[in-house]
Amino acid sequence: MQDLMNDSRSKLLNQLVGFLWRQWTSLGVPGNRVSAGGCLIDPEALVLITTELGRHDARLLDSSLDWLQANGRWVNLQRLKTLHGQWPNADPRVLGAFATVLAEQSTLRKWETLKEKRPQFAADHEEILSISSDGTAVPILGDPDARFRRFGLLRSQWKPRRNCRFPPPDRVENLLFMLRSLFGVNARAEIMAWLLTHESGHPAEISRATGYFSKSIQTTLNEMEQSGHLRSARDGREKRFWLQRGDWDFLIPRREPLVLPRWVNWSPIFYFAQRTLELLKDPVEPTASENLRAIQLRGFLDEILPRLGQSGFTTVLSAHRGMKGSELTAAVLKDVERLGILLDSDFREK
């Protein structure tokens, strides 16, 4: 059974890395994998998960850092820190090393705020940055990069390629960057993106989806309503807001028919995928009985189900706590396969 879990983990890891590549190339990283399934890309969630999973693909990690050197000012660092606290999807050491590199550029000095989280590592805790899918370290060439070594990570000297561009506005997946360029790197851009992709919403709902405080969302919505282009109505004790959609068609890339991106809450999906990788890698014991393994899997379900529910993709799971022994293990492996299918299809709606 553990061999099956190892195979599932290896396949899921490759599917996740391929999915991240497609999101980054949609944002302007050079590559031939451009496709994001019409789903709105969340740059902060993407940066965080890449610092963890990018360790399994050195070129992906370097390309994302190169893109950040060119476009880091369009990343909302306060939102990134909020998501990092809510969803532990990042490797804080890689994130700190990224911040150190980016802060060397005067236009990206604000990234220094992330360096405050720098963990302290003794010399004997150093490890190779790049690791293969089976967990073995990939040897480095030449002297280690001092900026990464400060965080206990050993890698070759990083040099920017400077071949990344601003996210192309003709791709609906990049709508958030068009909105940030119009409204600024703040909550207004996320609010507009959310309202454009939903019929209506109340502040608490939008707050949960975007990662901003509910009070800030409420205040901003009330201010935006005064423009006359935002509508509201009481819905019980809540106040719901919506856009006059036709007023904003100019924001959508010109296609026939007019197509809006789908809003996906990526942080809980990335958390689910990452925790699944950990689960498949670290069994209770290599020779554990199916009942003992089932106990571990039930604990995983107890943790993950409430969080995954925030993504809207709970239907991906067929496993449930009522299952026992090998039945539960088989269901979890089937769910891993379903997640991989969603990743390969870029979460396109069937």
Side-chain angles (χ1 to χ4, degrees), residues 31-76:
N32 57 2
R33 310 189 195 192
V34 178
S35 172
C39 298
L40 193 75
I41 293 175
D42 182 333
E44 287 75 40
L46 181 60
V47 169
L48 291 172
I49 192 62
T50 301
T51 64
E52 177 68 37
L53 297 185
R55 296 189 63 183
H56 297 281
D57 187 321
R59 193 164 67 89
L60 173 63
L61 199 66
D62 285 0
S63 295
S64 64
L65 182 53
D66 215 33
W67 184 92
L68 286 168
Q69 272 219 329
N71 299 293
R73 67 192 182 96
W74 299 104
V75 174
N76 188 323

Side-chain angles (χ1 to χ4, degrees), residues 104-306:
E104 293 174 348
Q105 193 170 306
S106 60
T107 56
L108 299 177
R109 196 63 52 79
K110 63 180 183 178
W111 282 80
E112 286 184 339
T113 58
L114 293 180
K115 292 163 58 177
E116 299 172 359
K117 301 288 185 181
R118 180 167 72 94
Q120 300 296 321
F121 291 96
D124 59 350
H125 288 163
E126 290 182 340
E127 62 179 88
I128 301 292
L129 173 64
S130 295
I131 50 181
S132 63
S133 59
D134 63 2
T136 59
V138 178
I140 66 172
L141 301 174
D143 295 329
D145 190 305
R147 296 164 295 188
F148 281 79
R149 195 168 192 175
R150 287 180 58 201
F151 294 85
L153 298 170
L154 301 177
R155 61 153 296 154
S156 304
Q157 294 292 322
W158 183 79
K159 296 180 181 178
R161 292 177 178 265
R162 305 187 190 284
N163 58 356
C164 296
R165 54 178 175 158
F166 182 78
D170 60 337
R171 295 179 190 154
V172 294
E173 298 87 0
N174 300 338
L175 176 63
L176 184 55
F177 287 91
M178 188 191 306
L179 295 174
R180 286 183 178 181
S181 64
L182 286 170
F183 297 106
V185 184
N186 53 47
R188 291 175 189 266
E190 262 79 16
I191 289 172
M192 285 296 299
W194 199 92
L195 290 175
L196 282 168
T197 54
H198 294 78
E199 290 297 324
S200 66
H202 54 75
E205 184 179 11
I206 299 172
S207 171
R208 287 192 297 270
T210 59
Y212 291 95
F213 292 117
S214 183
K215 182 64 175 177
S216 298
I217 295 293
Q218 174 74 68
T219 300
T220 305
L221 283 168
N222 288 334
E223 292 174 352
M224 294 173 69
E225 186 181 13
Q226 293 178 346
S227 70
H229 293 285
L230 196 65
R231 302 287 188 267
S232 72
R234 284 288 171 186
D235 181 13
R237 301 180 68 178
E238 294 284 355
K239 188 178 181 182
R240 299 192 72 84
F241 293 83
W242 67 91
L243 293 173
Q244 296 294 104
R245 187 67 58 79
D247 293 352
W248 302 97
D249 284 353
F250 72 94
L251 293 172
I252 313 303
R254 303 311 303 174
R255 296 183 181 179
E256 296 295 340
L258 203 63
V259 178
L260 281 162
R262 284 193 301 129
W263 180 282
V264 177
N265 195 355
W266 289 116
S267 290
I269 291 177
F270 290 151
Y271 181 77
F272 169 53
Q274 187 173 320
R275 286 288 291 114
T276 300
L277 289 175
E278 295 170 2
L279 176 77
L280 296 175
K281 179 182 179 181
D282 300 316
V284 178
E285 289 290 343
T287 59
S289 69
E290 289 302 328
N291 286 335
L292 187 58
R293 195 186 305 275
I295 292 174
Q296 182 191 36
L297 294 176
R298 289 191 195 98
F300 169 74
L301 292 174
D302 287 343
E303 175 206 351
I304 209 68
L305 280 175

